[in-house]
Structure formats: C-alpha cells, structure tokens
Amino acid sequence: MNWELLDKQTTYIVGVSGGVDSMALLDMLVEKQYQVVACHVNYHFRQDSDIDQKNVVDYCHAHCVDCHVYEANPDDFGKENFQHQARAVRYHFYETIGTNYQTDKVILGHHYDDVLENIVMQQQRGNCYNYQGIRSKTKIFGLEVIRPLLDTKKESLYAYCKKRNVTYHEDYTNFQTHFTRDKIRNEVIPQLTKEQKETIMLQATILNQDILKKEAQIAPYYQQFKENEIIDYTQIETELLPVFLYAILKDVIHPPKISKTLIDEIIKQIQSEKPNIEVKVSVNVLFIKEYNNISILAKNQQLDYCLKYDKIVYAREEMFFLEAIGHIDEGVCIEESDFPITIRNAQPGDRMITSGGTKRLSRLFIDRKIPKKMRRIWPVVVRNDGTIILVPRIAKNINYLYTKPNVYVVKLDH
C-alpha cells in the first residue's frame, strides 16, 4: 500500500465491489483509521450479486463504516458496451455520495496484476502514445481517483484477507473469456514467465517516463487548444505531436480506440500539402486540418442558427453581437425596406454580389483562409428577399458598400 498518496485529514469514497481487491483495500484503510465511506454498486446482472452486497454491508456494519449501496436496474442498460455504461453509473454514484460528504476523492483497489493486464491490452491495441498501465492518480468525471495498491500483487491481497479473516466473494465472470480483459487475465497472463512479466513492466516504466516528460511539455499547447478549440500545429515540436494528438483525442474518443495507427494516419494527413483535410476518427467525430490549424468537430458542435429582426436592435447573441459602433468591415446600413432581416450561419450554395462580382461564400472563406470549423458558425446577414448583404470581416454586398453603417454585426471568436 502506498500510504504517501493518502491523508488522514481527508474523507475518501472507497469503491467496494466485495471482491478480494476492494475488501483488502477497505480493511487496510479501516485498520489505519482513515476517514472512509464505502460505496457499492449492485448491477443485478449476476445471480449471486446480492452476496457481494451483503458481504460489503456486513463488513461496514461490523466496523462502523458508513456504507451506501446503489441497486441498478438491468433494464436501464442499453445494448452498447456494458462495461462503459457500468463505469458511468459507478462514477455518478461516487460523485453523488461524495457531494454529501463534501469530498471529491475516490480510492479504488486496482493492483499490480491489473496494471500488467492493462499494459498487455494496450500493446495488443497498438496504444503506445499514452501512459502504459494505470496511473496512481487520475481525474475521472471531475473526481480525483487514487489507486494506492498498484505495486501490490493479487496473491498478496489473498494472503492479507486470509490473515485478517476478511470475507470476500469472487465474481465468477472474472474467470470467463467473453471480454478482452478477461481473456488476457485468464489465458495470456498465466502463460507469461516471471521474467517476461518483469520485462513488460520495466519497458512500460521506461516508456512512461518519456510520456510524462512529453505531457509536461505539451501542457501549454493543450491548454491553448482547450481554450480556443483550435491550434496552429506547426508551433508544436514534431516529436511532441503524437502525445499532443492523443491528449486532445482522448477528450472526445474512448482512449482504447486511439491506436498508433490512427495517430500516425492523422500526422501523415496534416503534414501533407493539402490545405484542408477531414479525418473521420469515430462515428461522431471529425479531425480537421485547415491550413496550419487543427481542430476536432463533434456532431453536436455543428450548430445551425437563424435569428430574425423586424427592426434595428442592439443585442448580444450566442454567436455575435449587434452594436451601434464598430469596424467598417462589420457594419452595414439597413433601411426599412430591408426588414425583416435574418442573421444565420453560412449555408452550402450561399452567394453574394461583391465589388468583384458574384462570389460563393465558400470561395470567400477559402480566400481569407478561414478555418472550416469557423465557417460553420460565421454570421451571414440576409435581407427580406434572400439577398446576402453582409458577411462580417469577409465581404459586403456592393449595393451596401458605400453607405454609412447603422448597425455592426460583431462576430464572436469561438
């Protein structure tokens, strides 16, 4: 147990399944008189899951530990990956209970064997640009998750429970091979020699030292990307690019799906001479390169908007401001005959009569090197007959070019 990760002045939520790992963990914490609250989730997917629940509740009652149980309804789970859904249910429960105890600290019983399983899984999937194994501290759904048993082997936990007479209940599904992790646990790991296991762990340690160093180096770029949702990738050193791409992708894609092959393909695409590229990285997510800028677009970010005005107003909308003063390139003179006017995002096929002739908005955006992600939400001012009269900062209808503006459409930088 890595006690240095813990503080006796802090209250911790402890995830307790009833198995040997979490029961040993709970007993160690109770024995050392840490402030703990036990949380158990009964998914009711196994016929013997009530035994787990009773085991946890009985222990907590005997040792005067606050215990909270969430009994899930199997019918509430969809056909998607059960493990992912169960994980979300678990952490939401931890968050709810943690709020009641004014803590966001969660302790889990992952151990040495779990780390080894994770490393082997990552190697099989080709995940080599992220931390190998399991981190001792992570942030998940806003909770600080602490794992103090990562250097402890499972056989030691069995021995501990036997010595301390701590009751636990084995989940029989852990011995099946339906899921990749179970297959690795029951078929791959047992075939490894002690020396092979030590080699795998040593190689992961060396790789992780490099990963942690690079994560620290990309931190400013990652923060910039989070704030602006776009970044000029050429400012990032080439050797840091794979780790940076992994960092921004894992915010929108389940990490196990981010393989070396995917990262390498993205790098190949963005370093090509093509100015605009879209790479479909999952069903709902696009990776976008526009000139030197890269961004990520999820389906729920493809926002359409359309606002109608019967008179001049000065207001603050989500995508733009309507102001009484501003830059000439953002202003237009709207007369009574123009109303009602509409301000909306650009649409395919939009054209505008400019001083240089009729132009497609798509061409105007390209000429100004406007990133595609920004084009999707750029405001377009349209008069009542459908004529586009202003695209702020980009172009103005020739018939409105020489009149003094009475309203300025200030585009917001998202």
Side-chain angles (χ1 to χ4, degrees), residues 183-200:
K183 192 176 184 69
I184 289 174
R185 176 185 300 134
N186 298 307
E187 294 184 0
V188 178
I189 300 296
Q191 298 299 318
L192 298 175
T193 65
K194 178 183 177 182
E195 290 73 20
Q196 287 173 322
K197 293 178 182 178
E198 290 175 350
T199 298
I200 290 172

Side-chain angles (χ1 to χ4, degrees), residues 105-147:
K105 307 290 191 298
V106 176
I107 305 179
L108 299 180
H110 294 109
H111 48 79
Y112 177 94
D113 300 65
D114 293 323
V115 175
L116 186 59
E117 288 171 14
N118 262 39
I119 294 171
V120 174
M121 285 179 66
Q122 288 170 313
Q123 289 177 345
Q124 288 189 355
R125 290 169 172 162
N127 302 124
C128 65
Y129 293 131
N130 58 313
Y131 189 91
Q132 300 291 288
I134 305 174
R135 298 179 194 248
S136 57
K137 278 190 177 184
T138 51
K139 278 281 188 180
I140 302 178
F141 298 139
L143 298 169
E144 182 179 338
V145 179
I146 305 164
R147 303 178 179 91

Side-chain angles (χ1 to χ4, degrees), residues 138-160:
T138 51
K139 278 281 188 180
I140 302 178
F141 298 139
L143 298 169
E144 182 179 338
V145 179
I146 305 164
R147 303 178 179 91
L149 292 178
L150 295 185
D151 293 329
T152 306
K153 294 182 179 180
K154 189 157 188 169
E155 61 188 41
S156 299
L157 299 176
Y158 280 121
Y160 175 89

Side-chain angles (χ1 to χ4, degrees), residues 305-309 316-320 322 340-345 380 382:
Y305 63 93
C306 184
L307 301 172
K308 186 174 289 188
Y309 300 90
R316 298 197 165 198
E317 308 291 358
E318 184 179 0
M319 299 298 178
F320 57 86
L322 296 176
I341 64 164
T342 299
I343 303 180
R344 58 169 173 76
N345 59 306
V380 175
V382 185

Side-chain angles (χ1 to χ4, degrees), residues 103-378:
T103 182
D104 63 350
K105 307 290 191 298
V106 176
I107 305 179
L108 299 180
H110 294 109
H111 48 79
Y112 177 94
D113 300 65
D114 293 323
V115 175
L116 186 59
E117 288 171 14
N118 262 39
I119 294 171
V120 174
M121 285 179 66
Q122 288 170 313
Q123 289 177 345
Q124 288 189 355
R125 290 169 172 162
N127 302 124
C128 65
Y129 293 131
N130 58 313
Y131 189 91
Q132 300 291 288
I134 305 174
R135 298 179 194 248
S136 57
K137 278 190 177 184
T138 51
K139 278 281 188 180
I140 302 178
F141 298 139
L143 298 169
E144 182 179 338
V145 179
I146 305 164
R147 303 178 179 91
L149 292 178
L150 295 185
D151 293 329
T152 306
K153 294 182 179 180
K154 189 157 188 169
E155 61 188 41
S156 299
L157 299 176
Y158 280 121
Y160 175 89
C161 286
K162 182 178 180 179
K163 180 180 179 181
R164 292 274 301 163
N165 198 29
V166 176
T167 303
Y168 59 87
H169 182 246
E170 296 279 18
D171 179 352
Y172 66 84
T173 63
N174 287 338
F175 302 100
Q176 298 176 347
T177 55
H178 300 312
F179 298 104
T180 302
R181 178 178 294 279
D182 296 332
K183 192 176 184 69
I184 289 174
R185 176 185 300 134
N186 298 307
E187 294 184 0
V188 178
I189 300 296
Q191 298 299 318
L192 298 175
T193 65
K194 178 183 177 182
E195 290 73 20
Q196 287 173 322
K197 293 178 182 178
E198 290 175 350
T199 298
I200 290 172
M201 296 294 279
L202 178 60
Q203 290 173 340
T205 299
I206 295 172
L207 179 60
N208 286 340
Q209 290 174 347
D210 184 57
I211 293 290
L212 292 173
K213 178 182 177 181
K214 288 178 178 176
E215 285 181 344
Q217 290 175 296
I218 67 163
Y221 304 121
Y222 177 75
Q223 186 60 35
Q224 181 183 338
F225 183 84
K226 293 293 288 183
E227 291 175 358
N228 303 322
E229 298 184 349
I230 194 168
I231 194 170
D232 179 345
Y233 78 90
T234 60
Q235 65 181 296
I236 304 171
E237 294 178 41
T238 302
E239 66 171 10
L240 299 179
L241 203 52
V243 176
F244 173 77
L245 292 174
Y246 178 85
I248 63 175
L249 284 171
K250 71 179 175 61
D251 290 336
V252 292
I253 303 174
H254 187 47
K257 296 185 180 296
I258 309 174
S259 65
K260 179 180 185 297
T261 302
L262 175 60
I263 296 288
D264 291 347
E265 176 61 24
I266 290 175
I267 292 176
K268 176 183 175 182
Q269 293 292 334
I270 64 177
Q271 291 181 341
S272 72
E273 295 181 358
K274 297 178 182 178
N276 292 286
I277 289 171
E278 291 186 356
V279 179
K280 189 174 184 180
V281 293
S282 75
V283 175
N284 298 315
V285 179
L286 287 177
F287 185 93
I288 299 171
K289 170 200 171 183
E290 297 160 319
Y291 307 102
N292 288 339
N293 296 310
I294 57 175
S295 59
I296 295 175
L297 182 69
K299 273 189 176 179
N300 59 7
Q301 293 177 304
Q302 299 179 29
L303 300 176
D304 284 335
Y305 63 93
C306 184
L307 301 172
K308 186 174 289 188
Y309 300 90
D310 294 318
K311 61 181 181 180
I312 292 178
V313 296
Y314 302 113
R316 298 197 165 198
E317 308 291 358
E318 184 179 0
M319 299 298 178
F320 57 86
F321 291 171
L322 296 176
E323 302 280 15
I325 57 175
H327 191 278
I328 188 67
D329 290 341
E330 299 172 325
V332 64
C333 180
I334 302 177
E335 300 180 352
E336 188 173 344
S337 59
D338 295 319
F339 289 103
I341 64 164
T342 299
I343 303 180
R344 58 169 173 76
N345 59 306
Q347 298 294 320
D350 276 348
R351 293 172 178 270
M352 185 179 192
I353 304 173
T354 71
S355 58
T358 301
K359 303 283 188 179
R360 286 182 176 271
L361 258 58
S362 57
R363 172 45 58 186
L364 293 173
F365 284 135
I366 291 172
D367 291 344
R368 294 290 293 272
K369 295 190 176 181
I370 304 299
K372 191 174 294 184
K373 184 175 181 180
M374 296 173 66
R375 298 177 208 170
R376 289 181 167 94
I377 58 173
W378 205 284

Side-chain angles (χ1 to χ4, degrees), residues 13-19 22 38-46 48-54 56-57 67-74 77 82 85-97 108 171:
I13 299 297
V14 184
V16 189
S17 68
S22 59
C39 284
H40 174 78
V41 178
N42 187 342
Y43 300 102
H44 291 288
F45 264 88
R46 290 184 287 112
D48 62 348
S49 64
D50 288 343
I51 299 176
D52 299 336
Q53 179 176 325
K54 185 177 185 304
V56 175
V57 172
C67 181
H68 297 268
V69 176
Y70 178 75
E71 298 197 49
N73 184 347
F77 291 86
F82 169 74
Q85 296 177 76
R87 183 172 182 266
V89 167
R90 223 167 27 246
Y91 280 98
H92 178 68
F93 179 48
Y94 297 158
E95 181 185 22
T96 301
I97 301 303
L108 299 180
D171 179 352

